Amino acid sequence: MSGSFPATPTYLGFNAPVRAEVDVYDLEVTEGAIPPDLNGTFYRCGPDPQFPPKLGTDIYLNGDGVVSMFRFANGHVDLKTRYVRTEKYQLERAARKALFGAYRNPFTDDPSVIGKNRGTANTSVLWHGGKLLALKEDSPPVEIDPDTLETIGTWTFDGALTSRTATAHPKVDPVTGELLFYGFAAKGETTPDIAFYAADASGKITREVWFAAPYASMVHDFAVTEDYVLFPIIGLASDLERLRAGGSHYAWDATLPFYVAIMPRSGGAEDIRWFTGSSRFVSHILNAHNDGTLVHLDLPVAESNMFPYFPNTDGTPFDRSRAVSSLCRMTFDMSSSGDGFTQSELAPIFCEFPIVDPRYATREHRYGFLPYVDRALPPPAGLGGATGLNFNCLARVDVRSGALATHVVGADATSQEPMFIARDGSTVEGDGYVIAVINRFDEQRSDLILLDAQNMDGTPIARMRVPLRLRNAFHGTWVSRAQRDAA
Ligand code: V55
Ligand code: FE
């Protein structure tokens, strides 16, 4: 390789590119024991740049996608990681250097790759309709072999995907098995168009609704309830002129109002209600549900942009003190005629990456499972995570009372996004396990921990030693053996 990775936090210490594909057979269990009935696979996806950035520097979000899997059976777990063979990955591998430039800025690419797929498949993994898909919100899904992690190719739902993009945060309705998802910037970079899709349990697209947001911005996640779909619109706006000038795809414009579009699940664009309020930042959604025409949306909310690497349009520097979230509930009344809504705090914790027991997704939930930052604890000596947040705690939060059951992940450690695993045979919300990759700065390697979801502050059920460093991933999924066999 000619050149090397720049000495910036994105590429140093725990964030140093791993660039390897590994198989570790039978991880060492250093604490507790793996329950013999735990049978399935924890898949996750995150960025790991194959080559140093073309422009000398880059943001964490633009690394090449690596899918990893922890496969559990008979009290043992094996690890496998593989790069997703995107078109970008293959073109750059052949050239032995980066050809694509800045995050979501095709104007910075090498002329030899104009018009090629810029997708990195680096954000999440979905299991639906018997397919495992690696997702990135700027491009169509990429199908992956669920056993070998070999890349099968771009998946456009048999050509039915008319949007140029597909979100990394699709939702599966646990009652109907339907997949609900959307693409934003659906007509091309910086377009305000959103295309919403529903697919049946087999993955066949059955419905498509196009509409336009009031302005073009990052629509990273959305929410689904039994009767509605919700699209939050935040002021992390995109701008074609800035892209042409080689600038950042997104910039935070605090003058732009916050909106939430709510559409009946069976409705069309003409049925959308737009609710609005003053500027605020939201990204990942815990869950949403509706009680008749009252729609409740639970999610971390911050005053200002939480991505340090996207600039403010007013020229002010990133201000962490205004980028501290807490877990909130927004409530929208679909029977009202106004465009306002209420917001209350569920728990005053600096959190992100919340997840719900997937059997309660789209329906009323009581618990959220999430990493949070306890700022009263000394910060880890090692380098912070991908989002710049040092999640030193993992918790179950009871949204009815705000009560927390917390596992402190270690003095010099942080947690990645957890995943919930339902106990086989149980239907009780929150009965199962919470699994997470832990960044061990003290040993410059990772652990995998398994917690009792109903006893998060107890001793971990099992701790598994990962004898190497896994970079911060974004999102994942659990596929039980039973779900896999049913496909
Ligand atoms: C996020 C992650 C992305 C992205 C946009 O919130 C937002 C996370 C890993 O890629 O492109
Ligand atoms: Fe995300």
Side-chain angles (χ1 to χ4, degrees):
M1 180 202 290
S2 55
S4 55
F5 288 93
T8 62
T10 306
Y11 304 100
L12 286 173
F14 217 85
N15 285 347
V18 175
R19 304 186 65 238
E21 301 181 303
V22 305
D23 285 279
V24 185
Y25 192 66
D26 217 348
L27 293 183
E28 191 181 336
V29 181
T30 56
E31 184 182 338
I34 299 170
D37 68 342
L38 192 61
N39 204 343
T41 308
F42 175 34
Y43 295 99
R44 51 199 275 291
C45 184
D48 200 322
Q50 182 183 199
F51 291 113
K54 175 173 180 284
L55 305 174
T57 187
D58 202 353
I59 63 174
Y60 196 88
L61 303 188
N62 206 26
D64 296 289
V66 172
V67 172
S68 53
M69 69 178 207
F70 292 95
R71 177 156 286 177
F72 288 84
N74 308 316
H76 295 266
V77 59
D78 307 320
L79 167 66
K80 182 189 288 292
T81 75
R82 290 292 183 273
Y83 272 102
V84 184
R85 265 54 179 184
T86 58
E87 186 170 27
K88 172 183 184 293
Y89 177 95
Q90 289 174 309
L91 288 164
E92 294 186 336
R93 186 177 167 95
R96 292 185 181 269
K97 65 175 184 185
L99 299 170
F100 293 80
Y103 176 76
R104 297 194 75 158
N105 191 337
F107 299 107
T108 60
D109 292 348
D110 187 275
S112 67
V113 297
I114 302 295
K116 304 291 186 190
N117 186 343
R118 306 185 86 251
T120 49
N122 72 1
T123 312
S124 193
V125 187
L126 168 72
W127 173 256
H128 187 263
K131 286 184 160 50
L132 189 72
L133 302 174
L135 305 173
K136 174 74 176 182
E137 65 191 17
D138 71 352
S139 44
V142 181
E143 188 180 358
I144 305 292
D145 182 292
D147 296 319
T148 65
L149 301 186
E150 279 162 26
T151 300
I152 296 167
T154 300
W155 172 244
T156 59
F157 296 83
D158 282 326
L161 181 70
T162 49
S163 168
R164 295 210 202 170
T165 61
T167 177
H169 289 283
K171 302 288 179 270
V172 177
D173 183 317
V175 178
T176 65
E178 280 173 289
L179 179 72
L180 298 312
F181 71 103
Y182 63 100
F184 73 94
K187 292 184 180 170
E189 293 297 35
T190 78
T191 58
D193 305 274
I194 296 175
F196 164 74
Y197 300 90
D200 66 18
S202 76
K204 185 183 178 335
I205 288 180
T206 52
R207 272 172 43 73
E208 170 179 352
V209 177
W210 283 76
F211 64 98
Y215 53 84
S217 68
M218 184 195 280
V219 189
H220 184 63
D221 197 354
F222 85 137
V224 179
T225 76
E226 189 172 354
D227 299 317
Y228 299 100
V229 288
L230 292 78
F231 299 86
I233 306 294
I234 62 165
L236 204 50
S238 53
D239 178 72
L240 190 56
E241 286 318 304
R242 189 169 62 234
L243 275 195
R244 282 215 174 88
S248 174
H249 187 108
Y250 294 112
W252 177 254
D253 183 345
T255 69
L256 291 171
F258 171 72
Y259 291 96
V260 178
I262 306 188
M263 180 172 75
R265 256 168 82 162
S266 55
E270 65 283 3
D271 302 313
I272 294 176
R273 289 276 309 274
W274 287 94
F275 294 87
T276 188
S278 57
S279 170
R280 74 202 71 185
F281 178 88
V282 305
S283 182
H284 295 111
I285 289 163
L286 167 56
N287 196 25
H289 71 279
N290 70 285
D291 178 4
T293 54
L294 277 188
V295 184
H296 303 288
L297 174 64
D298 292 1
L299 73 180
V301 183
E303 186 186 339
S304 186
N305 171 36
M306 288 177 75
F307 293 102
Y309 31 75
F310 294 130
N312 294 328
T313 53
D314 66 6
T316 56
F318 180 75
D319 179 359
R320 174 55 74 195
S321 72
R322 300 179 62 227
V324 174
S325 60
S326 72
L327 190 66
C328 294
R329 169 166 292 182
M330 296 177 184
T331 299
F332 308 87
D333 185 352
M334 296 300 287
S335 71
S336 75
S337 54
D339 63 2
F341 63 95
T342 62
Q343 180 177 314
S344 62
E345 193 169 75
L346 297 173
I349 46 172
F350 182 6
C351 58
E352 246 295 333
F353 301 115
I355 56 150
V356 70
D357 177 337
R359 299 167 300 173
Y360 288 76
T362 76
R363 303 301 198 270
E364 184 171 4
H365 59 278
R366 175 162 182 189
Y367 300 115
F369 300 91
L370 43 72
Y372 73 93
V373 184
D374 182 344
R375 288 181 293 167
L377 296 173
L383 198 63
T387 56
L389 302 180
N390 293 311
F391 295 117
N392 48 22
C393 294
L394 265 176
R396 183 189 79 168
V397 56
D398 179 341
V399 300
R400 293 189 197 157
S401 65
L404 293 176
T406 294
H407 170 76
V408 179
V409 301
D412 198 10
T414 57
S415 182
Q416 300 193 16
E417 180 192 66
M419 200 47 52
F420 180 86
I421 304 173
R423 193 183 309 280
D424 262 356
S426 160
T427 56
V428 176
E429 183 186 0
D431 183 10
Y433 307 99
V434 168
I435 193 168
V437 170
I438 303 298
N439 307 319
R440 291 280 304 257
F441 300 126
D442 53 350
E443 300 196 8
Q444 285 292 306
R445 62 168 187 84
S446 306
D447 270 347
L448 181 67
I449 57 161
L450 190 71
L451 302 170
D452 178 347
Q454 292 175 312
N455 190 19
M456 293 281 289
D457 46 2
T459 313
I461 291 175
R463 178 182 296 272
M464 288 127 297
R465 180 189 172 91
V466 180
L468 59 128
R469 182 171 49 82
L470 298 174
R471 260 179 142 228
N472 267 295
F474 280 91
H475 310 290
T477 193
W478 170 261
V479 182
S480 70
R481 188 73 240 175
Q483 282 173 294
R484 176 68 201 278
D485 290 346

